[in-house]
């Protein structure tokens, strides 16, 4: 029996472009493991680990965490996932990180959410999250069933400190300066697959169709209208 190779995928896009939202749909339909650098950092901050304490000072200023720390943290987590299909979210965010990742494994595809900055800014101020699971809500787009409460656990939702308008501006600047070159890096390797738009629900069917060429849909839902 020929075993298909494991999928090594990355999802990229500016802050608020919908990486977390799309990742949740990819997990549901394609059963891949998801590793989000932001969720991992927030978990470390909440537990007040050494990395968490250091990360907080950068995140609060809308700056990226230094490459060596971030790379060590993520590559270490990836070791535990080497038998699974996986999707990386939020990493790599610099060319140095992408090069370090390349030394460890061969990336198959990079999904780029190309959403304009003006669309993003108002989304982030309405974002609420459930920190323990990484579940993400939006007061207009995907509100929780009960205001301020996670649908699954019933625990309270919080707003991210770095979703303040002034920090969002700094994060978008960091994206332009440090992360856009990563798109070019993957474009040159022929791995970049960009999806442009202003609404996740319109972009998603295209991503779904693209991923179906790589993995079977493992969800029970009607695949004709994938949500
Ligand atoms: N209005 C609107 N909000 C969206 C859409 N897609 C995602 N969101 C919300 O925008 C915010 C940012 O999305 P998220 O997936 O966290 O983006 P990430 O920062 O790239 O991981 C969240 O509050 C989402 O619920 C959309 O199409 N329209
Ligand atoms: N790969 C990374 N390299 C450096 N810093 C990172 C990385 N991933 C996350 N961070 C830090 O964590 C913050 C939150 O990341 P994330 O949750 O992915 O947010 P968003 O996608 O909304 O920008 C970033 O603004 C940055 O400070």
């Amino acid at each position: 029996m020929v075993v298909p190779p494991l999928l090594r995928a990355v999802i990229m896009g500016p802050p608020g472009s919908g990486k977390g939202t799309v990742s949740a749909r990819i997990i549901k339909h394609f059963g891949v493991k998801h590793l989000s650098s932001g969720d991992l950092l927030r978990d470390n901050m909440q537990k007040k680990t050494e990395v968490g304490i250091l990360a907080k000072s950068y995140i609060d200023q809308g700056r990226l965490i230094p490459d060596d720390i971030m790379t060590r943290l993520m590559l270490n987590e990836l070791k535990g996932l080497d038998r699974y299909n996986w999707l990386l979210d939020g990493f790599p965010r610099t060319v140095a990180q992408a090069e370090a990742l390349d030394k460890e494994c061969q990336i198959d595809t990079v999904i780029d959410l190309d959403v304009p900055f003006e669309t993003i800014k108002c989304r982030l101020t309405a974002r609420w999250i459930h920190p323990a699971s990484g579940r993400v809500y939006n007061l207009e787009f995907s509100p929780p069933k009960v205001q301020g409460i996670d649908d699954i656990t019933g625990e309270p939702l919080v707003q991210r400190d770095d979703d303040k308008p002034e920090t969002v501006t700094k994060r978008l600047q960091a994206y332009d300066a440090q992360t856009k070159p990563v798109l070019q890096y993957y474009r040159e390797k022929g791995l970049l697959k960009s999806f442009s738009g202003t609404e996740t629900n319109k972009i998603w069917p295209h991503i779904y169709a693209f991923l179906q060429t790589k993995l079977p849909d493992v969800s029970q839902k009607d695949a004709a209208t994938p949500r």
Side-chain angles (χ1 to χ4, degrees):
M1 194 177 79
V2 181
V3 181
L6 291 165
L7 184 77
R8 266 69 187 106
V10 172
I11 186 163
M12 293 185 61
S17 56
K19 298 181 295 295
T21 305
V22 170
S23 294
R25 295 182 190 189
I26 294 176
I27 297 163
K28 178 176 145 198
H29 285 279
F30 299 104
V32 304
K33 297 278 179 192
H34 173 233
L35 181 57
S36 153
S37 56
D39 286 350
L40 187 59
L41 290 168
R42 281 183 287 280
D43 188 45
N44 273 275
M45 290 192 317
Q46 199 251 328
K47 291 180 178 143
K48 296 201 165 54
T49 65
E50 205 180 320
V51 167
I53 291 164
L54 187 125
K56 187 168 167 35
S57 60
Y58 287 91
I59 292 179
D60 284 351
Q61 295 176 58
R63 294 171 58 198
L64 296 186
I65 281 86
D67 285 334
D68 55 336
I69 297 169
M70 208 57 222
T71 301
R72 209 176 316 128
L73 183 70
M74 293 298 282
L75 295 184
N76 191 42
E77 284 295 310
L78 275 182
K79 276 192 203 139
L81 300 181
D82 62 352
R83 288 183 298 114
Y84 301 95
N85 294 315
W86 53 240
L87 172 68
L88 281 181
D89 166 0
F91 181 91
R93 252 176 160 100
T94 66
V95 171
Q97 292 178 13
E99 287 169 347
L101 180 63
D102 269 347
K103 292 206 179 99
E104 293 300 311
C105 62
Q106 197 180 334
I107 297 299
D108 300 308
T109 191
V110 177
I111 294 170
D112 164 39
L113 303 182
D114 179 24
V115 179
F117 279 11
E118 311 80 72
T119 307
I120 284 167
K121 279 202 159 180
C122 39
R123 278 187 193 181
L124 291 181
T125 44
R127 169 159 70 181
W128 287 77
I129 63 162
H130 177 245
S133 66
R135 267 186 291 282
V136 54
Y137 299 86
N138 186 280
L139 296 186
E140 296 127 41
F141 174 68
S142 55
K145 290 184 187 120
V146 180
Q147 199 187 333
I149 301 292
D150 177 48
D151 288 350
I152 311 286
T153 61
E155 288 166 358
L157 300 176
V158 297
Q159 277 199 288
R160 281 170 47 175
D161 287 341
D162 61 338
D163 279 347
K164 290 195 291 272
E166 59 277 21
T167 317
V168 168
T169 303
K170 294 207 185 104
R171 285 160 61 203
L172 291 173
Q173 284 164 354
Y175 176 82
D176 253 345
Q178 291 165 278
T179 307
K180 272 204 176 154
V182 183
L183 297 180
Q184 184 57 19
Y185 177 88
Y186 285 127
R187 192 175 289 121
E188 281 167 14
K189 290 182 182 287
L191 298 178
L192 194 73
K193 191 79 187 144
S194 286
F195 297 88
S196 305
T198 55
E199 289 170 55
T200 299
N201 288 345
K202 290 202 177 144
I203 294 177
W204 167 245
H206 299 283
I207 298 176
Y208 176 79
F210 171 66
L211 284 176
Q212 261 200 320
T213 65
K214 302 191 174 291
L215 290 174
D217 186 335
V218 294
S219 74
Q220 304 300 314
K221 292 262 157 38
D222 176 9
T225 51
R227 284 273 149 176

